[in-house]
């Protein structure tokens, strides 16, 4: 029986766990937080699928390809869209409480960039309800969970380029542990927390899995492509779901006039809002005309969030909004079987690049991707582990990471890394955000490399062993800096504008030079980058 280690307990990890369990594997899920606190809970809008004759799968494929701005892989997108109806039916069969239309069928709404209403939803809590449903099913299946485990590094047999497991800091005890496995699935989510208060993401979205993967020899792809959601609350960056616009909400300027197509692709809408804010000072989401009954039935979370975080009632008032960093299209490069360039190391969900989103994700495809590819990934990881069980060989990684954690406690605290973290978030939002240019990107790269030099002078103040969140946040900051360098180098290299990557010094798309994926990796600790078809 293959032993499959899944790192991350969000939607992608839980789908993979169920799939691996069904395939006969012994499954262990390790996560730095509790499963129900995953970022998946913030995916509110719905899950795309063609369910009736009023729509067709070829249109779903075309919408996804068009949104990807030339960087989506047509074969993988076709697989995603063709398996979408089955994915929705599977979610329905395990108990996801979809909203229903008047005929009792699964309700659907149109999201930005889609040619038809095909996003299947559960009010505006789709991701949250999916997450809870998946967790219930995992508990029923007897899957083992190891929570409060912060990923440090992957254990790799470098001679064979083969993963053997991973090391973790057990946050509760302060001990460094290892978990060996025949195959490993990274489902650790994205890196939106790099943008700090300018992101819709949880503070947990620090890219730990990607940083560990690149240190282990895996390649990353398209890291410069970070989607900004058009409608985050102005004061807090809390997400207001695209479902509000899909239901008929308007985007209006300071004078109350509409100024853009609310259901254009996200990159287009986000830049339109950015430009309008610079022009008139404010942009609002208007759902007043939808009526209180509709809002309370279809958009209850949006009303609640606006009340809590902005102190306004959207039934009667305009919602002040701004774009905020939301989704990471870039990630660990994987093949069609979801395996990275390191044998036995798989990746799925937002931390992976399945080449289905390209330069700009189509709204409603993130939950779909984690279900479709999660089911594939769990099955493939089990099959790999059955055919190629990991050897029980000695590996120095546990000792290295034990010494690393012990050594970090001797770092001085001359520089406050929390201040540097906030600085990084601000310069990323301003210079590696919706609008970029060469000068701004190179200034950020210089700041990042200075932070890398200063890291030994930024150690945690808390020197205790048990439940040391200060230590965890310091290591997370190290991962952020590592990924920040990769993102900025990728953005500097791509001298064109495509999807979510918009450069005012190169505003046109250039397929001849850049119609390829940005691939980054490390050799002897040195960052390398190239464009590969």
């Amino acid at each position: 029986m293959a032993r499959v280690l899944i790192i991350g307990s969000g939607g992608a990890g839980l789908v993979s766990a169920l799939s691996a369990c069904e395939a006969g594997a012994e499954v262990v899920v390790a996560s730095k937080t509790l499963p129900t606190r995953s970022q998946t809970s913030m995916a509110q809008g719905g899950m795309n699928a063609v369910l009736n004759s009023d729509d067709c799968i070829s249109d779903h494929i075309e919408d996804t390809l068009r949104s990807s701005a030339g960087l989506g892989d047509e074969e993988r997108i076709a697989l995603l869209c063709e398996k979408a109806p089955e994915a929705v039916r599977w979610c329905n069969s395990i108990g996801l409480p979809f909203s229903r239309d008047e005929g009792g069928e699964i309700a659907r709404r149109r999201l930005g960039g889609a040619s038809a209403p095909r996003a299947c939803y559960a009010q505006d809590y789709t991701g949250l309800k999916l997450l809870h449903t998946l967790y219930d099913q995992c508990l029923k299946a007897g899957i083992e969970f190891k929570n409060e485990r912060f990923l440090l590094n992957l254990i790799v047999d470098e001679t064979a380029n083969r993963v053997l497991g991973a090391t973790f800091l057990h946050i509760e005890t302060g001990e460094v542990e290892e978990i060996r496995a025949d195959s490993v699935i990274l489902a650790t989510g994205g890196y939106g927390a790099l943008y700090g208060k300018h992101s819709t993401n949880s503070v947990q979205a620090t890219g730990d899995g990607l940083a560990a993967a690149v240190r282990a020899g895996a390649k990353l792809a398209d890291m410069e492509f970070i989607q900004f959601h058009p409608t985050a609350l102005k004061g807090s960056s809390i997400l207001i779901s695209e479902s509000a616009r899909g239901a008929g909400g308007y985007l209006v300027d300071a004078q109350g006039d509409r100024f853009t197509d609310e259901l254009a692709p996200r990159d287009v809408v986000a830049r339109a809002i950015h430009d309008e804010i610079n022009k008139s000072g404010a942009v609002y989401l208007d759902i007043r005309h939808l009526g209180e009954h509709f809002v309370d039935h279809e958009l209850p979370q949006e009303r609640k969030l606006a009340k809590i975080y902005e102190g306004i009632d959207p039934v009667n008032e305009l919602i002040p909004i701004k774009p905020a960093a939301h989704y990471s299209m870039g990630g660990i490069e994987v093949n069609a079987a979801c395996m990275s360039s390191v044998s036995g190391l798989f990746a799925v969900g937002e931390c992976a690049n399945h080449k289905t989103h390209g330069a700009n994700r189509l709204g409603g495809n993130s939950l779909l991707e984690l279900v479709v590819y999660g089911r594939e990934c769990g099955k493939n990881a089990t099959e790999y582990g059955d055919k190629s069980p990991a050897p029980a060989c000695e590996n120095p990684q546990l000792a290295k990471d034990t010494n690393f954690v012990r050594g970090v406690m001797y770092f001085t605290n001359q520089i406050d890394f929390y201040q540097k973290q906030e600085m990084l978030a601000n310069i990323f939002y301003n210079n590696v955000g919706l609008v970029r240019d060469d000068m701004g990107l190179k200034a950020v790269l210089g700041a990042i490399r200075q932070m890398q030099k200063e890291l030994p002078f930024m150690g945690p103040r808390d020197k205790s062993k048990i439940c040391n969140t200060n230590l965890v946040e310091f290591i997370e900051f190290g991962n952020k800096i590592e990924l920040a360098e990769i993102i900025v180098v990728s953005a500097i290299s791509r001298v064109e504008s495509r999807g979510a990557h918009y450069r005012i010094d190169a505003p046109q798309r250039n397929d001849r030079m850049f119609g390829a994926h940005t691939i980054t990796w490390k050799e002897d600790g040195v960052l390398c980058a190239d464009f590969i078809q």
Side-chain angles (χ1 to χ4, degrees):
M1 179 190 293
R3 191 174 203 229
V4 177
L5 169 61
I6 298 172
I7 306 174
S9 58
L14 297 184
V15 173
S16 299
L18 288 171
S19 176
C21 185
E22 289 170 7
E26 175 194 349
V27 179
V28 178
V29 179
S31 176
K32 72 176 175 181
T33 186
L34 299 175
T36 50
R37 296 186 64 187
S38 155
Q39 187 66 33
T40 304
S41 63
M42 290 303 296
Q44 302 162 348
M47 183 189 306
N48 286 333
V50 173
L51 297 184
N52 62 26
S53 58
D54 296 335
D55 193 8
C56 63
I57 291 173
S58 61
D59 285 348
H60 186 188
I61 294 171
E62 179 57 34
D63 290 345
T64 304
L65 280 169
R66 184 171 56 252
S67 184
S68 77
L71 285 188
D73 182 282
E74 190 164 359
E75 287 187 13
R76 298 199 203 177
I77 288 172
L79 173 71
L80 179 76
C81 299
E82 287 163 2
K83 287 186 173 289
E86 176 189 341
V88 168
R89 286 192 289 268
W90 179 77
C91 290
N92 187 53
S93 73
I94 64 172
L96 176 57
F98 285 110
S99 296
R100 302 286 166 170
D101 61 21
E102 293 179 355
E105 300 299 320
I106 294 173
R108 298 176 300 283
R109 56 168 62 112
R110 183 183 167 211
L111 300 181
S115 57
R118 66 171 72 98
C120 306
Y121 62 91
Q123 291 182 306
D124 53 354
Y125 290 97
T126 314
L128 178 67
K129 293 183 178 183
L130 173 62
L131 187 64
H132 284 207
T133 303
L134 290 169
Y135 187 43
D136 284 346
Q137 293 298 316
C138 287
L139 292 177
K140 288 179 183 177
I143 290 169
E144 181 181 2
F145 284 85
K146 289 182 177 289
N147 301 322
E148 301 284 320
R149 264 68 173 190
F150 178 77
L151 172 65
L152 293 173
N153 280 296
L154 295 161
I155 303 171
V156 177
D157 179 350
E158 294 181 4
T159 304
N161 189 36
R162 161 70 193 263
V163 74
L164 304 173
T167 59
F168 301 86
L169 174 66
H170 187 182
I171 299 170
E172 186 177 351
T173 66
E175 298 292 338
V176 176
E177 304 173 345
E178 70 171 8
I179 301 176
R180 294 294 186 108
D182 299 310
S183 59
V184 175
I185 298 175
L186 287 171
T188 50
Y191 41 93
L194 260 170
Y195 290 86
K197 64 183 180 181
H198 309 291
S199 172
T200 65
N201 285 197
S202 157
V203 295
Q204 305 281 349
T206 51
D208 309 315
L210 289 95
V214 78
R215 290 194 294 267
K219 294 179 179 179
L220 306 184
D222 301 329
M223 293 290 286
E224 67 270 35
F225 294 107
I226 298 156
Q227 185 174 79
F228 278 67
H229 199 286
T231 56
L233 289 174
K234 182 179 180 180
S236 62
S237 295
I238 296 292
L239 177 66
I240 294 297
S241 172
E242 194 160 302
S243 57
R245 285 175 287 130
Y250 301 146
L251 291 172
V252 298
D253 60 19
Q255 288 72 46
D257 298 323
R258 296 171 71 183
F259 60 90
T260 190
D261 176 3
E262 287 87 358
L263 292 180
R266 286 179 177 174
D267 62 317
V268 175
V269 180
R271 280 196 297 275
I273 293 171
H274 172 271
D275 293 345
E276 185 58 39
I277 289 174
N278 286 342
K279 176 182 170 185
S280 66
V283 168
Y284 302 90
L285 177 63
D286 186 1
I287 61 172
R288 295 173 298 177
H289 56 286
L290 300 179
E292 185 170 11
H293 175 75
F294 181 90
V295 170
D296 281 345
H297 186 263
E298 297 289 335
L299 305 169
Q301 182 174 202
E302 314 318 313
R303 186 179 190 185
K304 183 184 298 182
L305 292 172
K307 283 182 174 181
I308 293 172
Y309 293 100
E310 292 289 339
I312 61 105
D313 186 347
V315 168
N316 305 308
E317 301 169 89
L318 296 173
I319 308 171
I321 54 99
K322 67 176 182 182
H326 179 62
Y327 189 89
S328 316
M329 271 81 71
I332 301 162
E333 187 188 33
V334 294
N335 61 21
C338 307
M339 189 159 71
S340 74
S341 55
V342 177
S343 296
L345 178 62
F346 296 76
V348 69
E350 195 174 350
C351 74
N353 188 331
H354 296 285
K355 296 186 174 62
T356 54
H357 303 315
N360 182 48
R361 178 174 66 79
L362 184 70
N365 272 1
S366 61
L367 291 180
L368 174 62
E369 183 192 61
L370 70 82
V371 173
V372 169
Y373 280 102
R375 297 182 77 192
E376 292 289 314
C377 189
K379 178 182 65 177
N380 293 338
T382 302
E383 183 177 326
Y384 177 90
D386 282 335
K387 291 181 178 178
S388 306
C393 58
E394 291 295 320
N395 190 282
Q397 194 64 55
L398 178 62
K400 284 181 182 179
D401 290 333
T402 300
N403 289 334
F404 165 75
V405 171
R406 187 180 296 123
V408 162
M409 292 306 188
Y410 291 96
F411 283 12
T412 66
N413 191 245
Q414 296 169 247
I415 302 171
D416 185 348
F417 76 85
Y418 290 112
Q419 290 182 357
K420 292 292 184 178
Q421 185 166 256
E422 185 175 358
M423 172 188 168
L424 181 65
N426 289 333
I427 62 176
F428 247 66
Y429 186 67
N430 291 326
N431 296 322
V432 199
L434 275 164
V435 177
R436 308 166 176 183
D437 63 29
D438 187 67
M439 183 180 296
L441 290 168
K442 286 179 177 175
V444 175
L445 184 59
I448 291 166
R449 288 180 171 162
Q450 181 62 28
M451 289 182 195
Q452 290 173 334
K453 293 176 184 177
E454 295 172 343
L455 201 59
F457 305 101
M458 299 184 196
R461 288 185 178 178
D462 185 352
K463 305 299 183 181
S464 64
K465 186 173 183 179
I466 296 173
C467 296
N468 189 339
T469 55
N470 186 213
L471 169 63
V472 170
E473 288 159 0
F474 173 74
I475 301 173
E476 287 177 333
F477 178 60
N479 287 335
K480 286 181 180 180
I481 293 176
E482 189 162 15
L483 292 180
E485 180 186 23
I486 294 170
I487 292 164
V488 175
V489 166
S490 299
I492 291 170
S493 301
R494 187 174 288 278
V495 191
E496 65 156 357
S497 292
R498 183 186 297 268
H501 174 70
Y502 185 81
R503 286 186 52 160
I504 56 175
D505 56 347
Q508 302 303 315
R509 178 169 149 179
N510 187 336
D511 287 328
R512 184 176 64 83
M513 293 184 67
F514 298 104
H517 299 278
T518 318
I519 305 298
T520 48
W521 69 98
K522 288 193 171 181
E523 292 183 8
D524 298 323
V526 177
L527 179 61
C528 306
D530 199 0
F531 287 101
I532 298 175
Q533 289 288 350

